[in-house]
Amino acid sequence: MRTTFVETLCDVAARDERVWLLTADLGYSVLEPFRDRFPGRYVNVGVAEQNMIGVAAGLARCGKVVFVYSIANFPTFRCLEQIRVDVCYHECDVKVVSVGGGFAYGAQGYTHHGIEDLAILRTLPGMTVVAPGDPVETRLATHALAARPGPCYLRLGKAKEPVVHTSEPAFTIGEALVARPGRDLTLISTGGMLKETMTVAERLHETGVEARVLSMHTVKPLDMAAVLRAARETGGIITVEEHSVTGGLGSAVADVLATMGARPGFFRKYGVPDEVYHRVGSQEYMRVGLAGDLFEIVLPYVRRRRAA
């Protein structure tokens, strides 16, 4: 995803001289294409993430469209006050880009896990929160966010994420993509869990269960209409995210269901348990610690509903 992001941002910057890229001493072997093509619009502020947000806000106040880039937790948790006050308070055109969302940097330990970012960033006023599901969505999201006024957050994976979309979908901020049709239940995925969610849907198909898969690339503003259709048209909803079950996609979907009075056959949030994660290892290893095997969780719900 990060390579796709940089390649796309270069294309955007070639067409729009307002586009800048800032980094906090990260992105080596990744950001050089932008640096080499647009040296006057690239700044490495050093290991000073909070200062980076302040510089970005200042540039945005001068009419620039500024992307800031760092590893998952650094441009978000460390800079929360600066994002809230410097960027959101002034409605600045700053796009915060986190690479390595979820457990992409799992081997670095809890300090590098990005598993609370969606919850925190979506509470900020005026903030658009996007977590694309594959490189195709990453490219489309980068274009869309560059053109979208105001504060935005783009949550990326790290590298080698598989392509899920075999053709380019019609991508719009705030509108979920139907990655797979189905009426027995709906799996709503955000970010890098899209491939795993599609794999579970394929396994369910082999048992005669047709699962609808929604790629909810935009967590804020959430596609309420897609959620309500899923509640009305399918047997139940399970949200899937590489993020804490508190405050992320699952909580956003639950808010919609509760406030709109929608009652799906069942609802469950699948994600990282609400606890400090002491596990350390590869992303694949860390994902084993999520809320159990998704396929085994889904199947009993569907069977019980059919039996009723």
Side-chain angles (χ1 to χ4, degrees):
M1 286 187 184
R2 62 183 181 183
T3 300
T4 300
F5 161 72
V6 174
E7 291 174 349
T8 306
L9 191 63
C10 285
D11 292 340
V12 172
R15 299 185 182 95
D16 189 345
E17 294 184 352
R18 298 175 303 154
V19 174
W20 284 57
L21 175 61
L22 275 57
T23 184
D25 210 34
L26 287 168
Y28 296 103
S29 77
V30 178
L31 302 183
E32 285 83 355
F34 191 99
R35 179 201 65 188
D36 295 344
R37 289 185 62 182
F38 312 102
R41 290 185 269 155
Y42 173 84
V43 181
N44 184 345
V45 303
V47 185
E49 290 86 0
Q50 293 163 319
N51 185 48
M52 176 176 69
I53 299 298
V55 171
L59 286 168
R61 294 286 286 176
C62 295
K64 311 302 181 184
V65 178
V66 189
F67 286 76
V68 298
Y69 175 100
S70 191
I71 292 176
N73 53 300
F74 296 148
T76 52
F77 310 147
R78 183 172 293 180
C79 306
L80 181 59
E81 182 179 9
Q82 284 72 30
I83 295 173
R84 177 177 179 265
V85 178
D86 295 351
V87 176
C88 292
Y89 183 54
H90 297 95
E91 301 179 342
C92 289
D93 217 346
V94 174
K95 321 303 180 184
V96 180
V97 182
S98 285
V99 63
F103 292 125
Y105 286 92
Q108 303 288 338
Y110 183 70
T111 59
H112 285 59
H113 297 166
I115 53 176
E116 303 95 357
D117 54 326
L118 299 178
I120 293 170
L121 270 295
R122 80 181 186 93
T123 66
L124 297 180
M127 178 67 73
T128 298
V129 179
V130 175
D134 76 341
V136 174
E137 291 186 17
T138 298
R139 176 170 53 81
L140 298 172
T142 302
H143 279 291
L145 293 181
R148 186 177 180 85
C152 298
Y153 177 57
L154 178 61
R155 185 201 216 218
L156 302 177
K158 184 180 178 183
K160 299 181 180 179
E161 289 85 7
V163 172
V164 177
H165 296 282
T166 56
S167 60
E168 183 174 302
F171 186 98
T172 302
I173 296 295
E175 295 184 11
L177 295 172
V178 180
R180 182 186 178 95
R183 298 190 66 88
D184 291 326
L185 78 153
T186 299
L187 303 174
I188 305 180
S189 171
T190 195
M193 292 299 288
L194 180 57
K195 176 60 176 178
E196 285 73 9
T197 305
M198 291 289 283
T199 299
V200 168
E202 290 287 347
R203 292 179 63 190
L204 289 169
H205 171 72
E206 295 171 359
T207 70
V209 175
E210 296 302 329
R212 178 180 304 180
V213 177
L214 297 181
S215 178
M216 192 68 75
H217 50 74
T218 307
V219 180
K220 181 186 177 184
L222 194 76
D223 189 343
M224 296 176 59
V227 172
L228 295 176
R229 279 195 301 271
R232 182 176 64 251
E233 297 174 356
T234 72
I237 295 175
I238 296 181
T239 57
V240 185
E241 57 193 316
E242 194 170 337
H243 182 276
S244 171
V245 293
T246 301
L249 172 68
S251 295
V253 170
D255 285 348
V256 171
L257 296 174
T259 57
M260 301 302 293
R263 296 187 178 183
F266 61 87
F267 173 72
R268 178 159 180 172
K269 297 187 289 186
Y270 180 86
V272 181
D274 184 16
E275 60 189 46
V276 176
Y277 242 54
H278 296 287
R279 295 163 63 96
V280 176
S282 67
Q283 188 172 26
E284 293 73 20
Y285 169 75
M286 298 297 292
R287 284 179 174 178
V288 173
L290 296 178
D293 183 278
L294 180 58
F295 176 77
E296 297 298 333
I297 288 171
V298 171
L299 207 52
Y301 279 112
V302 178
R303 286 173 174 167
R304 285 200 296 271
R305 183 170 178 83
R306 284 181 168 177

